[in-house]
Amino acid sequence: MENRSEILENLVLELRRGIIVLSVLSQLDKQQYGYSLVQSLEDKGLSLDPGTLYPLLRRLEKQNLLTSEWETSGNKPRKYYILSKEGKEIYKLLQKEWMQMTKTINEMLKN
């Protein structure tokens, strides 16, 4: 049987999974490469393992929500990601959904 801290840790992980996509999309209105995106999210209080981020970026790109391009002129080649037109539209819709959900949950938590 799980103890209280294990249960809480698992529930917090479930909550985090639900916000990762929205959080990543929120940071890609300008081009970023993976590490800069990890840093940007971390600076805002959301730590994200690169092992979680890179598969997510590939999936979002496959869903046509992101576009990418390689920059090879620097010391190290980097793949930069940015929201596509479709990604911008989906992000706005997700943002509206998030606002409605948080409003609803905040109301429920008052009781």
Side-chain angles (χ1 to χ4, degrees):
M1 185 164 147
E2 291 179 284
N3 66 37
R4 179 186 237 174
S5 64
E6 288 172 339
I7 292 169
L8 179 60
E9 185 178 324
N10 288 334
L11 291 172
V12 168
L13 281 173
E14 285 183 42
L15 286 173
R16 282 178 44 87
R17 275 188 212 113
I19 63 164
I20 290 173
V21 170
L22 184 59
S23 300
V24 167
L25 293 177
S26 76
Q27 300 304 296
L28 290 170
D29 56 333
K30 62 180 192 281
Q31 276 193 334
Q32 292 203 61
Y33 58 98
Y35 183 73
S36 71
L37 186 52
V38 167
Q39 287 301 120
S40 176
L41 290 167
E42 201 166 276
D43 290 348
K44 292 173 176 67
L46 180 68
S47 61
L48 185 60
D49 185 78
T52 300
L53 177 65
Y54 289 105
L56 174 61
L57 290 172
R58 287 191 294 274
R59 181 170 57 91
L60 294 172
E61 186 174 22
K62 191 173 182 178
Q63 293 171 328
N64 296 316
L65 301 182
L66 303 179
T67 59
S68 68
E69 64 181 47
W70 281 96
E71 173 59 55
T72 56
S73 64
N75 294 341
K76 187 167 134 178
R78 290 185 172 143
K79 190 172 188 180
Y80 283 83
Y81 297 89
I82 193 165
L83 288 174
S84 65
K85 183 179 183 224
E86 177 73 8
K88 289 176 185 176
E89 292 170 10
I90 293 292
Y91 170 61
K92 285 180 184 173
L93 293 171
L94 282 175
Q95 201 176 21
K96 285 180 188 175
E97 288 293 325
W98 175 256
M99 295 300 191
Q100 183 58 53
M101 281 187 241
T102 55
K103 180 180 174 189
T104 300
I105 293 296
N106 285 336
E107 285 300 314
M108 284 188 225
L109 294 176
K110 286 181 183 177
N111 295 329

